[in-house]
């Protein structure tokens, strides 16, 4: 089962993840399944709201009787679910969650929770080094989501020794054309040369659209969470503003036809969803589904929740993945991917 914002402010892009996962599961099911079993994904719309994520996760577990929760999106949502649904004490796996909140690395506090992303602290540290190497002496700006997501980013930039001339926090869900125009106005007035956007896709999209309207084009550096170009263009961001923007990812480019995983995933997805576009969100969904299948296979022919967790601890670092960086799952680590490339 998965909870994800299928509607609401955070839905753009992320609402493609469940469909991509199901397309991969259907492909596996059509080719013998997992040790003869078929994989079914139950999707619940949580609107990117922690209270709704808790309610929908309880539905998945108590009503739908799911074997595990997989790919749930968001730091606040996953924290609320871990606390209120008490996944760890109940032994319910929450696998490959779509958040890089550093706190989930605490396997004693979150024993059955396995993040997919590198931590946001790690991302910001790497991004900070990239800025120092490439934009020394430039005036810097930062737009960030004002919660654990953004706090991790600030910690990473501090560790990297990067100080921003203008920092603009925004409350989750407050992003809009109006608020973004205010953010961009501040950055333009301060003549900021390089702007990092560490937010969800809808916040990135609003920021870039506002910058186009105000004829402001600094060097944009987009965080991995909200930097999918296909989704940003669908939100109305002009191509001219996106041209030259830089971003970080742990997965290959979804447009890299030479990558064997991208090639196979594209083939599976376009056959399952004709006329669709293959982007970072689809790639994340299909890669998550593939990791899920790897874990289920490793859990044995008669898997239990306990054997599923044990399989990730024992073999997780060796699971097939499209990422360009390693997985760090082990008996002592529930940390997922480790590293980024820039492009």
């Amino acid at each position: 089962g998965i909870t994800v914002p299928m509607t609401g402010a955070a839905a753009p892009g992320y609402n493609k993840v469940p469909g991509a996962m199901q397309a991969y599961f259907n492909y596996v099911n059509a080719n013998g399944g997992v040790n003869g079993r078929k994989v079914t994904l139950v999707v619940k719309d949580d609107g990117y709201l922690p209270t709704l994520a808790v309610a929908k996760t309880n539905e998945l577990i108590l009503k739908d009787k799911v074997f595990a929760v997989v790919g749930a999106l968001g730091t606040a949502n996953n924290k609320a679910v871990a606390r209120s649904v008490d996944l760890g004490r109940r032994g319910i796996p929450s696998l490959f969650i779509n958040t890089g909140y550093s706190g989930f690395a605490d396997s004693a506090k979150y024993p059955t929770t396995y993040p997919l992303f590198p931590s946001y602290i790690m991302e910001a540290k790497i991004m900070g080094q990239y800025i120092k190497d490439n934009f020394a002496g430039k005036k810097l700006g930062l737009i960030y989501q004002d919660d654990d997501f953004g706090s991790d980013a600030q910690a990473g930039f501090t560790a990297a020794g990067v100080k921003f001339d203008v920092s603009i926090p925004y409350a989750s869900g407050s992003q809009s054309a109006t608020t973004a125009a205010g953010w961009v106005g501040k950055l333009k007035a301060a003549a900021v040369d390089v702007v990092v956007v560490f937010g969800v896709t809808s916040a990135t999209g609003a920021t870039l659209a506002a910058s186009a309207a105000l004829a402001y084009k600094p060097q944009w550096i987009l965080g991995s969470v909200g930097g999918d170009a296909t989704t940003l263009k669908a939100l109305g961001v002009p191509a001219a503003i996106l041209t030259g923007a830089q971003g970080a990812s742990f997965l290959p480019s979804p447009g890299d036809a030479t990558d064997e995983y991208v090639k196979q995933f594209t083939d599976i997805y376009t056959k399952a969803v004709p006329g669709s576009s293959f982007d970072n969100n689809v790639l994340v969904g299909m890669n998550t589904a593939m990791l899920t299948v790897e874990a289920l296979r490793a859990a044995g022919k008669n898997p239990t929740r306990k054997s599923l967790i044990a399989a990730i601890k024992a073999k997780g670092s060796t699971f097939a993945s499209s990422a360009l960086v390693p997985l760090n799952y082990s008996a002592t680590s529930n940390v997922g991917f480790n590293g980024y490339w820039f492009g």
Side-chain angles (χ1 to χ4, degrees):
I2 182 174
T3 72
V4 69
M6 299 301 291
T7 58
Y14 308 125
N15 56 10
K16 291 184 178 181
V17 171
M21 291 174 67
Q22 189 62 65
Y24 187 80
F25 289 144
N26 289 346
Y27 164 78
V28 171
N29 291 341
N31 287 276
V34 179
N35 294 321
R37 298 172 184 263
K38 294 189 182 298
V39 184
T40 301
L41 185 68
V42 183
V43 183
K44 302 284 185 181
D45 181 5
D46 63 23
Y48 203 55
L49 299 170
T51 52
L52 199 53
V54 168
K56 295 300 181 181
T57 303
N58 274 319
E59 276 186 24
L60 288 172
I61 294 164
L62 300 175
K63 180 181 176 182
D64 299 297
K65 309 291 185 183
V66 298
F67 185 57
V69 179
V70 182
L73 176 77
T75 299
N77 284 10
N78 277 289
K79 283 182 70 177
V81 167
R83 180 179 61 252
S84 299
V85 184
D86 205 3
L87 300 175
R89 184 186 62 80
R90 297 165 69 184
I92 299 169
S94 186
L95 307 183
F96 317 130
I97 60 175
N98 283 297
T99 169
Y101 170 56
S102 62
F104 289 126
D106 184 349
S107 56
K109 188 173 182 180
Y110 301 102
T112 61
T113 297
Y114 285 81
L116 184 71
F117 295 178
S119 80
Y120 298 133
I121 291 179
M122 184 190 301
E123 179 176 1
K125 286 170 69 176
I126 294 171
M127 197 177 280
Q129 187 62 51
Y130 183 78
I131 289 169
K132 289 163 69 175
D133 290 345
N134 294 278
F135 303 107
K138 299 292 186 181
K139 203 165 189 179
L140 306 177
L142 172 67
I143 297 172
Y144 66 95
Q145 189 163 293
D146 194 15
D147 54 14
D148 288 315
F149 177 19
S151 295
D152 265 5
Q154 289 180 301
F157 286 123
T158 299
V162 172
K163 294 183 179 179
F164 291 92
D165 299 281
V166 179
S167 291
I168 301 173
Y170 74 90
S172 177
S174 69
Q175 62 268 28
S176 67
T178 301
T179 54
W183 308 340
V184 172
K186 289 180 183 178
L187 294 164
K188 184 177 182 180
V192 172
D193 301 303
V194 179
V195 181
V196 176
V197 185
F198 221 94
V200 296
T201 309
S202 53
T204 305
T207 300
L208 295 179
S211 73
L214 293 172
Y216 172 60
K217 192 176 181 184
Q219 174 60 60
W220 295 105
I221 299 179
L222 311 179
S224 64
V225 170
D228 177 65
T230 302
T231 306
L232 293 171
K233 284 189 282 189
L235 289 172
V237 176
I241 289 292
L242 277 173
T243 301
Q246 297 181 17
S249 181
F250 49 89
L251 294 171
S253 166
D256 183 2
T258 66
D259 184 278
E260 61 182 337
Y261 289 99
V262 171
K263 186 177 179 181
Q264 185 184 35
F265 286 164
T266 301
D267 182 60
I268 294 169
Y269 187 69
T270 53
K271 286 179 180 176
V273 190
S276 59
S277 58
F278 189 88
D279 59 24
N280 281 315
N281 296 294
V282 174
L283 182 54
V284 166
M286 300 202 80
N287 192 64
T288 298
M290 184 170 67
L291 287 171
T292 303
V293 169
E294 291 279 287
L296 289 170
R297 283 180 176 144
K301 291 187 176 181
N302 295 296
T304 63
R305 287 169 170 168
K306 190 173 181 180
S307 74
L308 181 61
I309 295 295
I312 297 172
K313 289 181 180 293
K315 302 177 182 178
S317 64
T318 68
F319 289 168
S321 164
S322 65
L324 304 181
V325 295
L327 285 161
N328 290 270
Y329 301 136
S330 73
T332 57
S333 171
N334 58 358
V335 175
F337 293 121
N338 185 15
Y340 284 92
W341 62 273
F342 284 84

